[in-house]
Amino acid sequence: MSIHRLLEIVYILLDKREITAKELAEYFGVSQRTIYRDIDSLSVAGIPIYTVKGKGGGIRLLENYTLSKTLLSEKEQLDILSSLQSLKALNVPDVELVLAKLTAMFDINNTDWIDVDFSQWGSGVVEKEKFNLLKTAILNRNVVAFDYYSSYGEKSYRIIEPIRLLFKGQAWYVNGFCRTKDNLRLFKISRIKNLTITNETFSINEHDDIGNNPQDPTNNLTIKMATLVLKIDPCMAYRVYDEFDQDSILHNKDGSFTVTVTYPENEWLYGYVLSFGEHIEVIEPKYVREIIKKKLEENLRKYL
């Protein structure tokens, strides 16, 4: 008995309302006896399916029937459709067809509620295409090759077996087995250039089981954290409430905000603080305040 075939039969009947056993047998490439066994299984499961003998007869569902009445609660239906809609947004193969079928079975409309774009604002077509290429390679188990630039600007050529995409610390990474280094590695996607999918495929093996490994693959990343106390002008209220947790915001009497946050201490952090322009002041820690001050002085010298 094929669960997929049983669901397909219900979907066909919901769409057509009536079909013969012969037509179903030809559609699935099985015998009519198999179809009748499937009908019996659906009936036992509580699906109101029945056959009408004689001329003009066939297999039918009870009029106005939807799958929701027998198998799944309304919440379970919505949870399933939400999960499938999320996968559709990621362009996972065949999800749209399954989503359409279950939407019809559940008699629920308006499932097109989510869209996901992994690229940054202002990204070009090439940058956006990286995610599609990596997703395709991961799903089809294709080896990929690319030029990779380290944080120091050093270029190297890499060949990897990609396993999954990962978002960590304000950045996207691809996790995979690097044949060049003969080890599992993380690669920051923004530093990947000239990405190509090869025709070579890789099979499941010991390093491909990382998805089932509870150990965080980014634990080998050394990340220094810094807790900052920031004073932000009232005119930046839209950013304060957009970008910081409510519990970290103190609204001062003069209209300004005092915000306490903990971020990875790196160039991203300094650039983020500087993005507020003259409307922000680093109160603590003192050494970060001095770094920001130095960067502002260096920038000023370029305009003198």
Side-chain angles (χ1 to χ4, degrees):
M1 180 180 66
S2 168
I3 298 299
H4 182 272
R5 188 172 64 245
L6 295 180
L7 285 173
E8 184 86 357
I9 289 173
V10 176
Y11 170 72
I12 291 171
L13 289 171
L14 283 168
D15 184 45
K16 296 178 177 289
R17 285 298 166 185
E18 181 177 289
I19 194 169
T20 66
K22 181 180 179 182
E23 289 173 321
L24 286 174
E26 291 175 351
Y27 179 82
F28 290 109
V30 297
S31 67
Q32 290 188 47
R33 175 176 287 186
T34 297
I35 294 299
Y36 283 121
R37 280 201 298 266
D38 288 342
I39 300 305
D40 289 340
S41 297
L42 289 169
S43 180
V44 170
I47 306 294
I49 190 170
Y50 63 98
T51 59
V52 177
K53 296 182 179 180
K55 187 177 180 180
I59 301 169
R60 300 176 183 176
L61 277 175
L62 191 66
E63 192 174 354
N64 298 324
Y65 166 76
T66 61
L67 190 63
S68 61
K69 295 178 181 177
T70 58
L71 298 182
L72 300 168
S73 68
E74 184 176 352
K75 181 181 183 301
E76 288 170 333
Q77 296 170 52
L78 292 174
D79 286 345
I80 290 171
L81 293 178
S82 295
S83 299
L84 289 172
Q85 187 64 41
S86 301
L87 291 174
K88 177 189 172 186
L90 299 176
N91 296 317
V92 174
D94 302 324
V95 165
E96 190 164 0
L97 178 60
V98 176
L99 181 62
K101 290 180 179 179
L102 289 180
T103 299
M105 288 181 179
F106 298 153
D107 194 25
I108 295 176
N109 296 316
N110 192 28
T111 58
D112 192 17
W113 62 275
I114 185 172
D115 191 15
V116 178
D117 186 348
F118 291 115
S119 58
Q120 298 177 354
W121 289 107
S123 297
V125 175
V126 174
E127 289 298 307
K128 292 181 179 181
E129 186 61 19
K130 283 182 188 177
F131 287 95
N132 286 331
L133 291 174
L134 288 169
K135 174 210 67 180
T136 299
I138 290 170
L139 293 174
N140 296 331
R141 299 193 180 279
N142 284 109
V143 175
V144 298
F146 52 82
D147 293 323
Y148 190 69
Y149 290 82
S150 72
S151 56
Y152 302 101
E154 299 170 342
K155 176 183 175 181
S156 61
Y157 183 71
R158 299 301 181 96
I159 300 174
I160 76 164
E161 299 171 11
I163 297 170
R164 65 175 176 175
L165 296 175
L166 176 70
F167 186 78
K168 184 82 172 182
Q170 297 90 37
W172 278 101
Y173 297 84
V174 58
N175 189 204
F177 184 81
C178 179
R179 292 184 174 180
T180 309
K181 298 295 184 179
D182 193 32
N183 202 354
L184 284 168
R185 293 295 175 92
L186 279 174
F187 299 93
K188 198 170 186 178
I189 292 179
S190 60
R191 296 178 186 165
I192 291 176
K193 307 297 179 185
N194 305 316
L195 173 66
T196 59
I197 300 179
T198 72
N199 292 325
E200 183 182 358
T201 59
F202 59 96
S203 59
I204 297 176
N205 49 45
E206 67 276 4
H207 65 257
D208 190 53
D209 194 41
I210 190 171
N212 299 320
N213 190 342
Q215 183 178 0
D216 187 343
T218 59
N219 284 342
N220 61 338
L221 296 178
T222 302
I223 301 176
K224 181 182 178 182
M225 305 298 289
T227 299
L228 279 67
V229 178
L230 308 169
K231 185 176 182 181
I232 303 175
D233 292 346
C235 63
M236 290 285 106
Y238 71 98
R239 287 193 62 178
V240 170
Y241 289 110
D242 275 353
E243 301 173 25
F244 302 109
D245 187 83
Q246 182 67 39
D247 294 337
S248 68
I249 304 170
L250 176 64
H251 200 168
N252 302 316
K253 291 183 178 180
D254 62 358
S256 66
F257 302 92
T258 299
V259 179
T260 303
V261 289
T262 301
Y263 285 141
E265 187 187 335
N266 50 32
E267 287 300 319
W268 173 87
L269 172 62
Y270 308 138
Y272 178 71
V273 171
L274 291 170
S275 72
F276 284 83
E278 70 274 21
H279 303 298
I280 193 170
E281 179 184 359
V282 177
I283 306 301
E284 296 288 345
K286 298 296 184 184
Y287 74 91
V288 172
R289 180 184 175 94
E290 290 302 315
I291 291 173
I292 296 296
K293 178 182 176 181
K294 183 177 179 181
K295 287 182 177 293
L296 287 170
E297 290 172 346
E298 291 173 350
N299 284 339
L300 181 61
R301 279 197 293 270
K302 294 179 181 179
Y303 292 93
L304 294 177

